[in-house]
Amino acid sequence: MSDLTELASQLRFVLVRTSHPGNIGSAARAMRTMGFTGMTLVAPHRFPHDEASALAAGADDVLENAALHAGLVDGLAGTSLALGLSARRRGVDLEELSPREGVARALAAMARGEKVALVFGNERTGLENEELARCHAMIRIPSVDDFSSLNLSQAVQVMAYEMRIAMLGDQAPAAPVRADAEPPADAAQMERFYEHLAQTLDDIDFHKGRAPTTIMLRLRKLFQRAQMDERELRMLHGIFADAQRMASIARGKSGEQ
Ligand code: SAH
């Protein structure tokens, strides 16, 4: 098991009194896409159900392995941190976190080897005060005040995504360095490149009597942005040399110089 998979297995998505089996399936899919498989169902109204399987869209393993419990206390067994998801501030005195703060808190506990629960409420009534009271803090996804309630499985998706982003951020290796990577051009090489470019523009009569200062500044800006490597520089030097050669032939033909 990779480190990330092992860490992900310490998180459980706990769905409480879910009414629509389709939402359970969609939640399973949302979790699975972000690498999470631990689902706990507390007193689901209808489960197992064809609609759950249909909307899981292949994440059947999550549904098959879902833990089923009659009450939230049992549903939280084994976890040491429970974060309740709620669209509205409830009548409970519970610390309110943003999704990112909640994710940071969850990951810190998971890194210590603890099991963490994200608790989601019923579609119509949300989490009851009594259920929130079993949680250590609540997380509110910052939706707009006058339309604050997300679909249950979409709230699951937001949290699964935030968890994954944070986990990837912690674990992502630095940008891979390829063994055959060309070294980037250094400042002195870039200066020689700009001299060659300026000389070439002169040779092909690009400026036509205008002052070259502004155009050279613009070209510098363009090429600096490209952060070229040595091979790319050699290629451009080659193109300039050919352009200079052709310009010199053309000058010879037209009898100049
Ligand atoms: N009318 C209910 C909404 C239930 S939506 C209420 O006001 O609570 C079903 C579940 O999705 C909620 O219980 C909660 O767990 C989650 N959810 C929906 N919108 C959310 C939001 N903006 N922030 C946090 N959780 C949310």
Side-chain angles (χ1 to χ4, degrees), residues 14 16 23 84-88 90 99 119-127 138-144 147-156 159:
V14 181
V16 183
N23 276 337
L85 273 284
S86 183
R88 284 181 291 149
R90 297 292 170 128
V119 187
F120 297 81
N122 167 269
E123 292 91 330
R124 205 170 49 78
T125 54
L127 287 170
M138 64 164 268
I139 298 175
R140 202 179 70 79
I141 299 167
S143 46
V144 293
F147 207 88
S148 63
S149 175
L150 278 73
N151 165 269
L152 169 62
S153 68
Q154 290 172 357
V156 168
M159 291 311 297

Side-chain angles (χ1 to χ4, degrees), residues 5-25:
T5 314
E6 200 170 317
L7 197 63
S9 73
Q10 288 167 243
L11 184 69
R12 298 205 69 85
F13 286 76
V14 181
L15 309 190
V16 183
R17 295 177 289 102
T18 311
S19 303
H20 300 292
N23 276 337
I24 298 177

Side-chain angles (χ1 to χ4, degrees), residues 75-152:
L76 293 178
T79 63
S80 53
L81 176 67
L83 301 172
L85 273 284
S86 183
R88 284 181 291 149
R89 213 168 225 305
R90 297 292 170 128
V92 278
D93 188 17
L94 206 57
E95 186 185 6
E96 184 181 313
L97 306 174
S98 71
R100 286 190 188 162
E101 287 165 341
V103 159
R105 187 97 46 113
L107 267 178
M110 287 154 69
R112 292 192 297 267
E114 297 174 28
K115 289 207 165 57
V116 174
L118 295 177
V119 187
F120 297 81
N122 167 269
E123 292 91 330
R124 205 170 49 78
T125 54
L127 287 170
E128 306 286 353
N129 286 348
E130 207 175 282
E131 289 159 348
L132 272 175
R134 306 264 176 268
C135 298
H136 299 89
M138 64 164 268
I139 298 175
R140 202 179 70 79
I141 299 167
S143 46
V144 293
D145 286 342
D146 64 346
F147 207 88
S148 63
S149 175
L150 278 73
N151 165 269
L152 169 62

Side-chain angles (χ1 to χ4, degrees), residues 15-21 24 40-48 67-70:
L15 309 190
V16 183
R17 295 177 289 102
T18 311
S19 303
H20 300 292
I24 298 177
T40 298
L41 300 173
V42 174
H45 293 190
R46 286 171 289 157
F47 187 82
L68 269 171
H69 293 284

